[in-house]
Amino acid sequence: MLARVSYQGVGLAAVLLLGLLWSSQAQEGDVASQTLNSQEHFQRLNLPQNTNVHNPHEVTRNQDLPENGSASRSSEEIINKIKTATSTRLSVSSKLGVQFSQGYIDLGSRDPVQEGAATLAFVFDTTGSMSDDLKQVIDGADKILNTVLEKFERPIHNYVFVPFHDPEVGPMTVTADPEEFQESLKKSFIFGGGDCPEMAVRAIKMALEVSLPSSYIYVFTDARAKDFYLLDDVLRLIQKKQSQVVFVMTGDCGNHTHPGYQAFETIASTSSGQIFHLDKSDVKEVLNFVRLSLESRKVNLLSIDRESEGPGEENLPLLVDRTLKHFTISVSGEKPKIQIYGPEGEDVSQDKGVENLLALENVKIVGVKEPSPGRYNISVGSESKYTVRATGLSSLTFEHGFSLEPTINFKETYHRPMKGGSSYVIVRPVDVTEFGDLYRLQMISLDGVILEDLPLHRLPGPVPIYNGTSFLAPNESFNIKIFGRDEHGYQFERISPTAITSQLPFPPEVTSVDRVNGYFDQPAVITCHVKTLVPFTLSWQKDGIELDGQKSFPQSAEVEYVVEYPNRDDEGRYSCVATNVAGSASSSIFLDMKEPPPQIAAPLNATLPPAQSALLSCEVTSTVEYNLTWYRYVVQGQIQDYFGRTETIGEFVNVETLEGYVVLSNMSLLLEDVGLKDEGWFRCTATNEG
């Protein structure tokens, strides 16, 4: 239960508004919380002077004394406050819950992963020649971590460190603790050397496997890869995780035509990353750029690879839309060049907000803050083959999926199309705050050639999802480029986070949670997620015994098995087995039968004079014993979110640690002297051991 108390003036009388909102849920550990909303005057409790207080509060002289800081007060004093307290019954509404979620942030329940936070991974070559590089990485990592921790909307949730040399990889560190990550760098042991190739690709693969989606992988090495035969595994992971891999190379064994070096080029191209060739003394400069560039809501605007070995220069158009708060141009190649011309053809290089973020012999990066909207002209070039990347900060980006048959359900799609056959593509915006619509999609080769050009049409339903006509998947890698309009009708363009390649049929990818809770006499739902490029069949088993016949599905799907009226005999391990033309895969889930979680009813909104006492109560229904805890939302300050909206930040604190609140033996909450100090939100949470 969540309650909001606000202080108002009505005529000559000051009143308190108690708002409550419904939001009951069962969580892991069987926790039920409820928030409600309505409005009504509390009714006075007319209690006999010398009798116990019974239903709905059931308070006695001997049982009322709390176990917290209020225990020093006399039983008589508490009873007198209860006698004059006001009380109410309940009604439900969702309005206050929406108000809380939009205007307030509960620091105690924040999930950085849901907010878009990613993984920062360092993959480091620990051979003897990398000693100077490691010193700079340790110093640079410290500055990066300090910068990340200063941001409220943190772009990084956890950290990965994978050391490698030949023939060993690891031990790997995966942690959400910045200090542990830094300590793993400092404990790295530099040794060995000899032959130049190292086990870099396996280390990259390990980092991708444990990283969150949309993560940042930085590879520090002075040698090409020895294990380039693992390239296809890494490319599959990059496209699945949509993560970027950047190589910081202070050497390369001297042969750029070797498959071990070309594997790095392919990884960088597919992940929209780049290869930075540096002197060893320049590693710290790249790390400073990393520190400045780690931001939430990063979007891709442009990605071009030029393979010509000779000097080259070209002009690239770049649409800067009204939602872009910043954009960055990066060119990697020998003696790179960047010149930026604004919408009117003017040279903006000396404008306020334009800065050189990195200027080295083989890397140049320029950033533009608060750019004026319009179509820019970017002049780029190099004395060798080069790559160009443009990124920006914006809320407007998209997700995509491919299917064999038309669908409006993203759970029926895969992130890669079928090789050699027709596919359909659907896309949707990630954030609709500034979104208008989408109208066009292109598939563009890595060197900028348009391979497919499809119109997009919005599908029926409240959520904006768009589909294109069927297409034959290109044989080469490609980026998706979408064209759309923001909420005011102004155009924007975006490209996919990583390149995409078509794929032959493969065995199904089957995933599920490890455990689900089932409640007696309530349907228990067990779910498996199956990803595949071709039709598949699925069967369910319990403890190795098949439950029913196979069912067929035309493409990827979320499949449920329902136990309608479960009892203790239904507890056990369930498996879903998916099979297609390329093979089989399975996943298992343990159904844990429990008593149902508690159900809560809570008070109405209430109006009452100040300087009075009041009682809040949550009526709990539970089949077994339960505990109930009251919390008060304590404001810590205010911030402005990405869109400039003011939000209050705070945390729900157990009222037993606060003054002025008494939890009674019947689990009601006594507000002893209602006033401005009580304005805000309250929450009650009931838990049982079901």
Side-chain angles (χ1 to χ4, degrees):
M1 182 208 73
L2 182 67
R4 183 176 187 273
V5 181
S6 62
Y7 192 79
Q8 298 180 347
V10 180
L12 297 177
V15 300
L16 286 168
L17 173 65
L18 174 62
L20 298 152
L21 161 91
W22 175 269
S23 175
S24 180
Q25 58 181 329
Q27 303 172 349
E28 189 170 341
D30 296 322
V31 178
S33 297
Q34 231 179 19
T35 57
L36 302 97
N37 180 41
S38 182
Q39 198 167 3
E40 182 178 288
H41 285 284
F42 277 115
Q43 296 179 349
R44 299 285 181 179
L45 293 180
N46 298 316
L47 304 176
Q49 178 69 31
N50 297 314
T51 60
N52 294 338
V53 182
H54 293 288
N55 194 34
H57 304 292
E58 295 186 0
V59 178
T60 71
R61 291 177 183 268
N62 296 325
Q63 295 176 323
D64 288 342
L65 289 177
E67 297 296 328
N68 57 21
S70 302
S72 61
R73 290 190 298 279
S74 68
S75 172
E76 190 71 31
E77 183 181 354
I78 298 295
I79 289 293
N80 287 336
K81 286 186 177 292
I82 295 172
K83 286 180 180 180
T84 58
T86 53
S87 181
T88 190
R89 306 297 291 173
L90 98 99
S91 174
V92 299
S93 166
S94 62
K95 292 181 180 179
L96 267 184
V98 173
Q99 180 183 341
F100 182 84
S101 64
Q102 292 181 348
Y104 297 81
I105 297 173
D106 177 17
L107 298 176
S109 62
R110 286 186 73 197
D111 185 346
V113 178
Q114 289 187 354
E115 294 177 6
T119 299
L120 175 63
F122 283 0
V123 178
F124 195 89
D125 181 349
T126 55
T127 51
S129 57
M130 292 290 291
S131 178
D132 290 340
D133 303 56
L134 180 60
K135 293 176 183 177
Q136 295 178 73
V137 167
I138 291 172
D139 182 60
D142 184 59
K143 296 175 182 177
I144 290 170
L145 299 178
N146 288 336
T147 300
V148 167
L149 294 175
E150 289 172 356
K151 299 179 180 181
F152 181 79
E153 189 173 337
R154 292 183 183 173
I156 301 300
H157 172 63
N158 65 353
Y159 308 88
V160 171
F161 176 58
V162 187
F164 70 92
H165 58 277
D166 182 18
E168 302 295 332
V169 178
M172 179 170 59
T173 300
V174 183
T175 179
D177 183 353
E179 293 184 2
E180 183 181 351
F181 175 65
Q182 184 76 328
E183 194 63 26
S184 69
L185 295 176
K186 294 177 181 178
K187 289 182 177 179
S188 296
F189 183 58
I190 299 293
F191 67 97
D195 62 333
C196 187
E198 306 295 344
M199 305 295 282
V201 179
R202 182 181 302 277
I204 297 169
K205 177 174 178 287
M206 290 172 60
L208 285 165
E209 287 172 339
V210 299
S211 295
L212 295 166
S214 303
S215 290
Y216 307 93
I217 317 292
Y218 288 88
V219 183
F220 299 87
T221 185
D222 60 0
R224 64 175 180 254
K226 189 173 188 176
D227 50 357
F228 52 85
Y229 52 85
L230 295 172
L231 176 62
D232 287 345
D233 293 339
V234 169
L235 297 182
R236 279 194 290 269
L237 282 167
I238 287 170
Q239 293 176 74
K240 181 178 181 179
K241 294 290 187 78
Q242 305 275 287
S243 292
Q244 182 187 64
V245 183
V246 173
F247 293 86
V248 181
M249 300 193 68
T250 53
D252 53 26
C253 304
N255 183 358
H256 288 189
T257 64
H258 192 282
Y261 179 81
Q262 291 179 337
F264 289 171
E265 291 184 320
T266 303
I267 290 170
S269 294
T270 301
S271 68
S272 293
Q274 289 178 290
I275 298 177
F276 295 162
H277 287 278
L278 313 174
D279 293 332
K280 286 189 176 292
S281 60
D282 291 332
V283 172
K284 60 181 180 295
E285 302 295 335
V286 172
L287 289 164
N288 187 55
F289 166 71
V290 174
R291 178 180 67 84
L292 297 173
S293 64
L294 288 176
E295 294 281 356
S296 301
R297 303 179 187 273
K298 183 174 285 190
V299 298
N300 282 16
L301 306 173
L302 179 68
S303 181
I304 297 289
D305 292 1
R306 295 295 184 224
E307 296 297 326
S308 174
E309 291 292 344
E313 191 169 338
E314 63 183 312
N315 294 323
L316 300 172
L318 180 69
L319 178 61
V320 175
D321 60 84
R322 292 174 178 267
T323 71
L324 281 172
K325 295 186 175 184
H326 179 270
F327 74 86
T328 300
I329 308 295
S330 173
V331 177
S332 176
E334 295 179 14
K335 298 180 180 179
K337 306 171 186 177
I338 299 176
Q339 198 74 31
I340 302 175
Y341 298 94
E344 304 299 325
E346 73 280 15
D347 186 345
V348 302
S349 300
Q350 304 303 316
D351 286 5
K352 181 180 179 181
V354 179
E355 57 181 331
N356 287 320
L357 300 175
L358 194 61
L360 302 174
E361 182 68 20
N362 297 308
V363 184
K364 186 174 180 64
I365 303 176
V366 177
V368 182
K369 294 180 179 178
E370 303 296 337
S372 299
R375 193 166 291 277
Y376 285 60
N377 187 30
I378 313 298
S379 178
V380 298
S382 170
E383 296 297 313
S384 66
K385 66 179 182 179
Y386 60 93
T387 60
V388 184
R389 305 288 184 261
T391 62
L393 297 182
S394 170
S395 68
L396 293 178
T397 187
F398 68 99
E399 297 174 323
H400 70 270
F402 299 99
S403 61
L404 296 178
E405 299 181 0
T407 181
I408 62 173
N409 187 354
F410 260 79
K411 294 175 181 177
E412 296 180 357
T413 67
Y414 192 66
H415 57 274
R416 299 171 68 179
M418 167 71 78
K419 188 170 187 174
S422 294
S423 297
Y424 292 85
V425 60
I426 61 174
V427 295
R428 64 183 175 190
V430 173
D431 189 321
V432 298
T433 306
E434 299 178 284
F435 177 75
D437 72 336
L438 303 176
Y439 61 89
R440 185 178 172 197
L441 179 148
Q442 291 179 344
M443 298 178 188
I444 302 176
S445 67
L446 301 188
D447 60 355
V449 176
I450 298 174
L451 306 174
E452 291 284 348
D453 195 339
L454 308 175
L456 290 176
H457 305 283
R458 178 163 178 165
L459 298 168
V463 179
I465 298 178
Y466 299 78
N467 72 341
T469 56
S470 66
F471 67 95
L472 186 64
N475 290 323
E476 59 186 295
S477 297
F478 62 93
N479 287 303
I480 288 180
K481 183 175 183 178
I482 57 128
F483 300 78
R485 301 179 185 89
D486 66 19
E487 59 180 338
H488 301 296
Y490 295 103
Q491 290 186 338
F492 70 90
E493 299 172 2
R494 300 287 186 269
I495 65 168
S496 50
T498 61
I500 300 160
T501 56
S502 58
Q503 183 173 329
L504 292 171
F506 61 93
E509 297 175 6
V510 185
T511 58
S512 65
V513 298
D514 182 66
R515 177 183 298 263
V516 296
N517 292 334
Y519 304 113
F520 298 113
D521 298 323
Q522 297 181 17
V525 180
I526 305 168
T527 304
C528 273
H529 304 267
V530 181
K531 292 289 186 180
T532 175
L533 284 169
V534 291
F536 71 97
T537 60
L538 185 136
S539 61
W540 288 93
Q541 299 174 357
K542 178 180 181 292
D543 299 328
I545 301 174
E546 190 160 321
L547 295 172
D548 51 21
Q550 292 184 340
K551 294 184 179 179
S552 299
F553 299 85
Q555 54 195 8
S556 298
E558 180 182 81
V559 185
E560 294 181 345
Y561 182 81
V562 181
V563 183
E564 293 291 350
Y565 300 102
N567 55 44
R568 185 62 67 185
D569 292 337
D570 293 305
E571 185 172 86
R573 184 157 294 278
Y574 291 73
S575 298
C576 54
V577 182
T579 304
N580 65 16
V581 294
S584 298
S586 64
S587 185
S588 64
I589 313 100
F590 186 82
L591 176 62
D592 188 4
M593 293 303 302
K594 299 183 175 185
E595 294 292 338
Q599 301 296 313
I600 306 176
L604 299 169
N605 283 357
T607 304
L608 68 159
Q612 297 285 330
S613 53
L615 282 171
L616 303 183
S617 62
C618 285
E619 296 184 13
V620 180
T621 302
S622 177
T623 58
V624 294
E625 290 187 2
Y626 65 90
N627 294 317
L628 189 139
T629 309
W630 284 94
Y631 299 90
R632 172 83 164 84
Y633 184 75
V634 177
V635 175
Q636 297 183 11
Q638 288 187 322
I639 62 165
Q640 281 197 327
D641 70 4
Y642 178 84
F643 303 102
R645 300 172 301 198
T646 299
E647 290 190 314
T648 299
I649 60 173
E651 190 167 5
F652 281 100
V653 177
N654 192 318
V655 296
E656 294 188 359
T657 66
L658 304 174
E659 293 291 332
Y661 307 107
V662 180
V663 179
L664 306 178
S665 62
N666 70 333
M667 300 185 187
S668 294
L669 177 64
L670 174 65
L671 284 66
E672 298 184 83
D673 187 14
V674 176
L676 279 171
K677 62 179 175 57
D678 298 303
E679 182 171 272
W681 299 85
F682 292 79
R683 182 176 70 191
C684 70
T685 301
T687 63
N688 66 17
E689 297 181 357

